[in-house]
Amino acid sequence: MQLFTEVSCKTPPFQLSHRDKILLMGSCFSIEVGEKLQKSKFPVLVNPFGTLFHPWAVETALSRIYTLQFYTENEIFHYQDLYFSWDHSTLFSRPKLTETLTNINEKLEIAHEHTQQSHVFVFTLGTAWVYELKKAKITVGNCHKVPSSQFHKFLMSPAEIFKALKNCVEICLDLNPEAKIIFTISPVRHWRDGAHDNQLSKSSLFLGLEKVLEDYPQAVYYFPSYEIILDELRDYRYFKSDLLHPNETAINFVWEKFSHLFFSSETLNLNQKVETLNQAMAHRPRNPNTLAHRKFLYDTLKKAEKLSINFPTGSFDEEIKILKEKIHHVY
């Protein structure tokens, strides 16, 4: 007896390895995937502009990273004792203009350097609804709790979405002609828009993205996180208390699907070894001064050193340093 409908995933035209530098941008779902990749020791950079929801916001951020166009003081705004950028999330807001500007430009430079060597780009799209600041006639990536009366809200058309996403793909391919590009649509429902408007938004994203997939079949892949959460799981027990965001069980389920699609058996094996090491690092003994614990630390150190050979230089430097300090302290 089958009690759920399984979402079938097309075989991607490429696979990912721990040697691939990865950039993830978009809605909060990209953070969930990014954290899983980070824990598995993939060289990743997640949302260097903070959480972004609509395609124009992602396109703007990627363009600024690509051209290394630093932000200037006239692009920083002030509201309720905080300075911010309309292109960034509230994570970058600071009480001083110089702090905000410095933080934004430092992250921009880091992102630029990362993308120059990136092999994989992952974009998670959250909504097609856009807010335009009436006074300045500019679309914003985040409203920063400014009153809604100061914005004009409108829905991006599939054609506008296609153009924005195509520009993102072209930037990625210019950075790396062999780039692997993954798009996914966030399963998080934007309930403030209402049930109907949320569906219009997600549908527009699907329509705009479909043309991109048709035009770049070898470089671009669609991962169905939206369908997996809302069709295959289809139960509120897989959501957090707000009933909108997937919970840890759902994220783990999606991650497992993602892993078996994009990772070879060798990469999956390395992920398992990293997870085992992470569990060992998290171990807290009742008595750290026993001979057994000393041996445990030494064995874990040797495992970390051996495992590091299969990863980019420096991937396990922190773990090795911590273990050596603990061994020195114990002895």
Side-chain angles (χ1 to χ4, degrees):
M1 182 185 298
Q2 187 168 347
L3 300 178
F4 63 91
T5 53
E6 184 174 358
V7 175
S8 61
C9 302
K10 294 181 181 179
T11 302
F14 50 77
Q15 286 191 317
L16 313 183
S17 77
H18 290 92
R19 298 289 176 180
D20 290 321
K21 257 193 172 176
I22 305 173
L23 173 71
L24 297 98
M25 295 180 67
S27 78
C28 53
F29 196 73
S30 64
I31 298 175
E32 305 283 3
V33 177
E35 287 178 349
K36 294 288 187 184
L37 289 166
Q38 285 176 326
K39 288 180 180 178
S40 296
K41 292 297 183 179
F42 287 84
V44 303
L45 180 64
V46 182
N47 278 353
F49 276 52
T51 305
L52 303 173
F53 299 100
H54 60 77
W56 273 332
V58 174
E59 179 193 13
T60 296
L62 187 61
S63 297
R64 296 290 292 245
I65 292 169
Y66 173 63
T67 58
L68 191 57
Q69 184 182 351
F70 289 113
Y71 282 81
T72 59
E73 288 189 7
N74 62 3
E75 294 178 284
I76 305 301
F77 300 84
H78 184 259
Y79 180 72
Q80 289 188 341
D81 300 323
L82 289 174
Y83 290 90
F84 64 89
S85 157
W86 290 116
D87 293 340
H88 294 74
S89 78
T90 55
L91 289 175
F92 290 84
S93 300
R94 297 289 187 277
K96 293 183 179 180
L97 187 151
T98 52
E99 291 178 356
T100 301
L101 192 59
T102 299
N103 190 28
I104 284 173
N105 284 331
E106 284 179 351
K107 292 294 193 301
L108 178 64
E109 190 166 18
I110 291 171
H112 176 77
E113 292 175 359
H114 186 91
T115 56
Q116 295 303 303
Q117 301 174 358
S118 290
H119 309 93
V120 182
F121 299 84
V122 182
F123 300 106
T124 304
L125 309 174
T127 183
W129 287 106
V130 176
Y131 287 83
E132 181 185 67
L133 192 64
K134 292 178 180 178
K135 187 176 181 180
K137 297 293 182 182
I138 58 172
T139 58
V140 302
N142 193 294
C143 293
H144 294 276
K145 298 183 179 180
V146 173
S148 59
S149 59
Q150 296 192 31
F151 298 96
H152 166 58
K153 177 184 174 183
F154 65 94
L155 188 70
M156 290 181 71
S157 70
E160 289 170 330
I161 293 169
F162 165 70
K163 184 177 179 181
L165 299 184
K166 181 179 180 180
N167 287 341
C168 290
V169 171
E170 290 294 337
I171 288 174
C172 295
L173 293 176
D174 190 57
L175 286 165
N176 184 347
E178 302 299 322
K180 307 161 187 176
I181 305 163
I182 302 169
F183 280 101
T184 187
I185 292 176
S186 172
V188 177
R189 292 168 296 160
H190 289 239
W191 211 243
R192 289 183 181 178
D193 295 326
H196 180 67
D197 282 359
N198 175 71
Q199 288 301 99
L200 285 176
S201 168
K202 300 294 186 183
S203 299
S204 297
L205 292 175
F206 276 112
L207 290 171
L209 178 56
E210 187 63 25
K211 185 68 167 58
V212 177
L213 298 172
E214 292 174 0
D215 287 1
Y216 301 91
Q218 297 305 312
V220 180
Y221 180 84
Y222 172 69
F223 177 69
S225 60
Y226 179 91
E227 295 87 336
I228 292 170
I229 296 291
L230 296 182
D231 287 306
E232 188 163 341
L233 298 185
R234 195 185 279 264
D235 193 310
Y236 279 109
R237 63 180 167 161
Y238 295 112
F239 288 80
K240 295 179 180 179
S241 58
D242 64 3
L243 304 181
L244 300 175
H245 291 78
N247 62 19
E248 186 178 357
T249 300
I251 297 298
N252 289 337
F253 185 84
V254 173
W255 170 247
E256 186 175 339
K257 287 234 174 189
F258 184 94
S259 298
H260 284 89
L261 267 178
F262 290 106
F263 303 150
S264 66
S265 57
E266 179 183 357
T267 302
L268 288 170
N269 183 47
L270 287 174
N271 284 352
Q272 184 56 54
K273 290 181 178 180
V274 173
E275 175 61 23
T276 300
L277 179 64
N278 289 340
Q279 291 173 359
M281 294 296 298
H283 176 64
R284 296 292 180 268
R286 286 187 293 178
N287 184 355
N289 296 313
T290 63
L291 180 62
H293 182 59
R294 292 175 183 175
K295 184 178 185 303
F296 171 80
L297 289 174
Y298 182 78
D299 289 344
T300 303
L301 173 62
K302 292 306 170 187
K303 289 178 182 178
E305 291 175 337
K306 182 179 180 180
L307 191 57
S308 67
I309 298 172
N310 302 289
F311 292 80
T313 304
S315 296
F316 292 87
D317 282 359
E318 184 177 354
E319 287 84 355
I320 291 171
K321 179 183 177 183
I322 291 172
L323 288 166
K324 286 183 176 179
E325 288 176 350
K326 285 185 176 181
I327 291 172
H328 178 73
H329 177 73
V330 169
Y331 281 92

